[in-house]
Amino acid sequence: MQTDTLTYLIISGVIALLLALFQYAYKSKIKGKRAWFLTTLRFITYFSIFVLLVNPKFDKVTYYNEKPNLVVAVDNSESVSYLKQSQTTTDFIETLKSNQELNENFNLEFYSFGKEISPSEAYTFDEKQSNLALVFDRLSEVYNNAISPTLLISDGNQTYGTDYAYMTKRYKQPIFPVILGDTTTFTDIKIQQLNVNRYAFLKNKFPVEIIATYNGNTAVNTQLKVSKGNTTVFSMPLSFSKTETSQIITFTLPANRVGVTSYKADVIALENEKNTINNVKNFAVEVIDQKTNVAIVSELLHPDLGALKKSIESNEQRKAEILNTEEFLKKSNDFQLVIVYQPTTNIEKLYAEIDRLKLNKIIVTGIKTNWNVLNTLQSSYKQVLTNQTEDYQPSLNQNYATFSVDNLNFSEFPPLKSEFGEIKFSVPFETILYKSINGEQIDTPLLATFETNDKREALLLGEGIWRWRAQSYINDKSFNAFDNFIGKLVQYLSTNARKTRLNVNYESFYNGNDNVKITAQFFNKNYEFEDNANLNITLKNQDNDEIQSFPFVLKNNRYEVDLSGLGAGNYTFTVKVNTENFSTSGELKILDYNVEQQFLNANVSKLQSLASNSKGNAYFIDNTTSIIDNLLNDSRFATIQKSTKKVVPLIDWKYLLALIAFSLAAEWFIRKYNGLI
């Protein structure tokens, strides 16, 4: 309590006593014990009221016990059941849940993981992928500030994501791997990896790289065969030994037919080989007869140029080349799309050539754009000149209907720098991204598309898009989302196909472990997106004539259907709008491949290394009797007594109000009883 407060309380006590004595001692007719008793009651009343006015504050300390968390992350992938560990895993989890002493000393939190991680206490062991790095990435966001030893129940075989061996640098908790499997090794030969481009061009040859590995102690001979249907298109003998455990085989295959072609790579199994599934890998290549060449024309050097080139070339069907105006004019016939970056002076010849060839284009402006020239060379839009710059952040137009645009959390992207002032369009246009200043969206486009004279054009009003690509990588640990966004814009602008009311987006083929998702958009007669349409997809398996039908689900400005549960095979499909007479058809192929069935053993060494680096211990699932005892006896995981200190004002103390009421009531009763009222 502060000195000033204590002084006020002493003064309050003196004043309360003087007032009470003045009423019942000074010239009062009441004498004896009654006078002193009434004086005391009145003193209590006055002093309590004065104390409430002073309102001193007191520290209230509360003690509580905080138990550590015990995080249990369970591998829910198919490899667990393939290694015949699903029942053992389930029994061990039930042991943890039912152990009373463990529950008294820890807050048990259960998670299951495959390609994603989620809180769960039910396990099906049917996930197609396992991403262990994501487990520690997500758990670090929740548990890094509390004592949270972690049980990782897994075989340690990762099929997706970054290497989890280095995640202990981020996840600062002891990790106790419970290893599903044993150290028994089997003679095995397998295709460790197969590398092939997704696309090839007609009448070219495409490269294939196969890495075959061997696990065994004796020298063996076998053969690699690559077949297309019943025809062998490549074969090669292979030899392995205890010291020569891997071979890299590189060859090329011809691309003679447009469309998707499936192949099967097969290493002939050894005698008594336990796992022959990993001897085979199916792959496919889509052969196309054209390639989109994009010219990026600029007289400036800027990081945006490299970012655009990388995004465009992330799709093998596209090639981008950075040129100045003179270089472009020499080879202008080679391109199907032109990106004009920050047009400055001397661009009249460039615009004349683009118009002569009737090429679609993307105009990217910035602080060095010569708007006097640009306003003169075209009539579709005019920028009001202010000779000032402004930073604009993007805001996605959810109603953009020309093609589907995924929301990349654009509002969190860094701003682009651009000319300050209004942009006025003289042609109909559609806005993909609006400008936003300090979180407030303004009704001015940052990125827009429009069509004039059967030509398509996009206008990006700002420089610094390289930062968007970098931010996308920070958000998703991958450039794919941003590159797909640029890819869709380039795809739209590199063709002059007429608009259709029903657009369906899909891949020609999917690997067995891919997410098979098809998206669609349906527009009304004014080409405005319909958000209340009823879309269905009907698939026919060409191998067994089985027919299945699935509804689309509305997600933002598109419809989506998830077909990830489909088996391998060739499918034809029809997407139909039930409310109107619109439909479109196509074909897709799902390749037979299950990455979770490629393993014979747990990755023991990696899990033991993970335990050692995090100051934990590794256990085999068949020897788990000591896990609970070790956790309970580890001094690092003791229950901690903590306290909270709270400053409480006296006015919140209800007993003081009760005391005032009691003293006033008692005084009134005594005076009434003695006839003094």
Side-chain angles (χ1 to χ4, degrees):
M1 188 180 296
Q2 296 181 352
T3 304
D4 292 346
T5 303
L6 184 60
T7 302
Y8 291 145
L9 290 177
I10 293 173
I11 294 173
S12 298
V14 172
I15 294 174
L17 180 60
L18 291 175
L19 289 173
L21 290 173
F22 177 79
Q23 186 165 358
Y24 287 111
Y26 181 70
K27 296 181 180 181
S28 176
K29 296 179 181 180
I30 306 173
K31 304 295 182 183
K33 293 182 179 180
R34 282 185 303 171
W36 288 110
F37 190 66
L38 290 170
T39 300
T40 302
L41 291 173
R42 182 53 61 98
F43 168 77
I44 292 172
T45 300
Y46 284 140
F47 183 68
S48 298
I49 293 173
F50 291 147
V51 167
L52 287 176
L53 293 174
V54 174
N55 193 22
K57 296 177 176 59
F58 299 92
D59 293 335
K60 182 181 180 181
V61 180
T62 304
Y63 295 93
Y64 64 96
N65 293 329
E66 184 179 90
K67 296 190 295 184
N69 302 304
L70 179 60
V71 182
V72 183
V74 183
D75 190 339
N76 198 38
S77 65
E78 285 187 342
S79 63
V80 175
S81 57
Y82 185 66
L83 293 174
K84 298 180 174 60
Q85 296 293 333
S86 53
Q87 187 59 49
T88 310
T89 303
T90 303
D91 293 342
F92 176 63
I93 293 170
E94 291 302 320
T95 301
L96 295 176
K97 292 179 180 179
S98 61
N99 188 283
Q100 183 176 352
E101 191 174 2
L102 194 66
N103 282 272
E104 289 175 354
N105 287 272
F106 292 93
N107 296 315
L108 269 66
E109 304 286 348
F110 290 88
Y111 293 85
S112 69
F113 67 89
K115 191 174 181 179
E116 301 291 337
I117 178 173
S118 60
S120 176
E121 295 190 10
Y123 309 98
T124 55
F125 307 109
D126 59 357
E127 296 278 350
K128 302 295 184 182
Q129 301 266 24
S130 50
N131 187 353
L132 277 79
L134 182 67
V135 174
F136 301 115
D137 189 43
R138 294 290 184 265
L139 293 181
S140 65
E141 298 173 359
V142 181
Y143 295 107
N144 258 5
N145 295 323
I147 300 173
S148 305
T150 302
L151 286 180
L152 178 67
I153 306 175
S154 174
D155 56 16
N157 293 312
Q158 181 172 351
T159 63
Y160 190 83
T162 57
D163 193 340
Y164 68 90
Y166 306 101
M167 293 305 294
T168 53
K169 295 180 180 179
R170 179 170 184 180
Y171 188 57
K172 306 296 184 182
Q173 300 291 350
I175 301 170
F176 297 84
V178 179
I179 304 171
L180 303 177
D182 53 39
T183 57
T184 304
T185 58
F186 302 92
T187 299
D188 184 51
I189 192 168
K190 68 177 179 179
I191 297 177
Q192 181 72 36
Q193 190 168 332
L194 191 151
N195 299 318
V196 65
N197 293 333
R198 190 179 184 93
Y199 302 98
F201 297 98
L202 187 64
K203 298 181 181 180
N204 285 349
K205 290 188 175 182
F206 60 91
V208 181
E209 182 183 69
I210 295 176
I211 302 174
T213 61
Y214 167 69
N215 184 25
N217 297 317
T218 60
V220 296
N221 297 308
T222 185
Q223 189 176 28
L224 169 67
K225 289 185 177 181
V226 179
S227 56
K228 180 176 68 174
N230 296 322
T231 305
T232 299
V233 295
F234 177 84
S235 66
M236 178 180 176
L238 301 178
S239 298
F240 298 95
S241 65
K242 185 176 181 179
T243 55
E244 299 290 334
T245 59
S246 66
Q247 284 196 38
I248 300 176
I249 305 98
T250 303
F251 56 94
T252 59
L253 295 175
N256 296 326
R257 182 179 65 86
V258 174
V260 178
T261 304
S262 298
Y263 299 87
K264 182 175 75 170
D266 185 8
V267 176
I268 304 302
L270 303 175
E271 187 177 356
N272 299 324
E273 188 174 354
K274 184 176 180 180
N275 184 4
T276 59
I277 294 177
N278 57 16
N279 292 44
V280 179
K281 275 198 176 180
N282 295 289
F283 66 98
V285 173
E286 183 175 2
V287 179
I288 54 179
D289 63 354
Q290 62 179 354
K291 187 170 186 175
T292 301
N293 292 317
V294 181
I296 305 175
V297 184
S298 176
E299 305 298 326
L300 307 173
L301 293 177
H302 197 282
D304 284 354
L305 304 177
L308 288 169
K309 178 177 171 64
K310 286 184 177 296
S311 292
I312 293 168
E313 292 185 342
S314 65
N315 187 318
E316 295 165 11
Q317 299 181 67
R318 304 186 184 108
K319 182 180 179 181
E321 192 172 349
I322 301 174
L323 309 162
N324 60 34
T325 300
E326 289 189 6
E327 292 170 336
F328 170 76
L329 293 175
K330 293 177 182 178
K331 50 195 312 188
S332 57
N333 289 315
D334 295 343
F335 302 101
Q336 291 79 49
L337 174 67
V338 181
I339 299 177
V340 182
Y341 185 82
Q342 294 217 48
T344 53
T345 55
N346 302 322
I347 59 170
E348 291 86 352
K349 292 182 179 179
L350 172 63
Y351 261 70
E353 183 68 3
I354 292 173
D355 289 340
R356 184 183 73 83
L357 297 173
K358 296 183 178 180
L359 295 175
N360 296 335
K361 59 182 177 289
I362 302 175
I363 307 299
V364 182
T365 67
I367 59 175
K368 294 186 179 180
T369 300
N370 189 329
W371 276 105
N372 285 316
V373 176
L374 190 56
N375 284 343
T376 303
L377 284 176
Q378 50 77 41
S379 58
S380 299
Y381 51 86
K382 303 292 181 185
Q383 170 71 48
V384 176
L385 302 180
T386 62
N387 295 321
Q388 299 180 43
T389 61
E390 181 63 88
D391 291 338
Y392 297 104
Q393 282 189 286
S395 177
L396 179 64
N397 176 16
Q398 299 285 356
N399 296 318
Y400 182 77
T402 304
F403 56 87
S404 64
V405 179
D406 295 326
N407 191 349
L408 310 184
N409 291 325
F410 286 104
S411 59
E412 297 180 2
F413 278 19
L416 302 185
K417 189 172 287 293
S418 179
E419 179 85 9
F420 175 76
E422 185 181 1
I423 184 83
K424 298 180 179 179
F425 282 85
S426 57
V427 296
F429 68 96
E430 291 188 77
T431 301
I432 301 177
L433 299 172
Y434 286 105
K435 290 180 178 179
S436 177
I437 302 177
N438 297 325
E440 294 293 328
Q441 177 181 303
I442 58 178
D443 192 22
T444 303
L446 180 64
L447 173 61
T449 59
F450 54 92
E451 298 185 27
T452 56
N453 301 322
D454 296 325
K455 293 190 298 181
R456 294 177 175 178
E457 186 171 336
L459 176 64
L460 176 62
L461 295 162
E463 65 175 79
I465 197 172
W466 68 270
R467 295 188 178 91
W468 288 10
R469 192 168 189 262
Q471 185 65 46
S472 177
Y473 183 85
I474 292 173
N475 292 346
D476 303 326
K477 304 295 186 295
S478 169
F479 294 113
N480 290 343
F482 179 80
D483 291 348
N484 288 339
F485 169 69
I486 296 297
K488 288 182 179 181
L489 183 62
V490 170
Q491 181 180 4
Y492 164 71
L493 293 167
S494 59
T495 177
N496 287 319
R498 294 183 60 189
K499 273 188 177 182
T500 60
R501 291 180 59 187
L502 177 60
N503 297 322
V504 180
N505 297 314
Y506 65 98
E507 299 287 347
S508 298
F509 67 91
Y510 299 85
N511 291 314
N513 285 88
D514 290 346
N515 290 326
V516 183
K517 293 184 178 180
I518 296 178
T519 60
Q521 288 185 307
F522 181 67
F523 306 99
N524 62 21
K525 294 180 180 179
N526 295 323
Y527 289 97
E528 298 169 333
F529 178 70
E530 284 276 7
D531 59 4
N532 60 352
N534 186 355
L535 275 66
N536 274 75
I537 182 170
T538 302
L539 296 106
K540 181 179 180 180
N541 189 325
Q542 293 179 302
D543 301 326
N544 56 20
D545 292 332
E546 181 183 358
I547 297 176
Q548 301 179 68
S549 183
F550 303 92
F552 279 81
V553 177
L554 178 64
K555 288 191 174 181
N556 296 325
N557 61 337
R558 64 182 181 180
Y559 295 90
E560 182 179 289
V561 61
D562 189 347
L563 306 175
S564 300
L566 287 178
N570 298 303
Y571 293 87
T572 59
F573 68 85
T574 300
V575 176
K576 184 177 181 181
V577 183
N578 295 330
T579 53
E580 298 192 39
N581 189 25
F582 276 93
S583 65
T584 186
S585 300
E587 295 183 3
L588 60 88
K589 181 188 294 288
I590 299 177
L591 303 181
D592 185 15
Y593 179 67
N594 190 329
V595 69
E596 292 291 336
Q597 294 183 0
Q598 305 301 305
F599 306 104
L600 273 172
N601 303 98
N603 197 333
V604 177
S605 59
K606 201 166 189 177
L607 290 174
Q608 288 176 334
S609 176
L610 182 70
S612 176
N613 293 337
S614 65
K615 298 180 180 179
N617 294 310
Y619 305 85
F620 287 97
I621 190 66
D622 295 329
N623 185 25
T624 56
T625 54
S626 59
I627 293 180
I628 295 176
D629 290 337
N630 291 346
L631 288 171
L632 293 173
N633 295 324
D634 196 321
S635 59
R636 293 176 295 173
F637 314 137
T639 299
I640 299 174
Q641 187 180 72
K642 291 188 174 183
S643 62
T644 57
K645 184 178 180 181
K646 184 178 180 181
V647 178
V648 181
L650 190 65
I651 198 169
D652 292 340
W653 197 46
K654 299 177 182 179
Y655 295 109
L656 187 59
L657 298 176
L659 180 62
I660 294 173
F662 173 77
S663 61
L664 287 173
E667 182 183 354
W668 178 86
F669 180 78
I670 293 172
R671 288 171 63 89
K672 184 72 173 178
Y673 182 78
N674 290 278
L676 300 174
I677 296 179

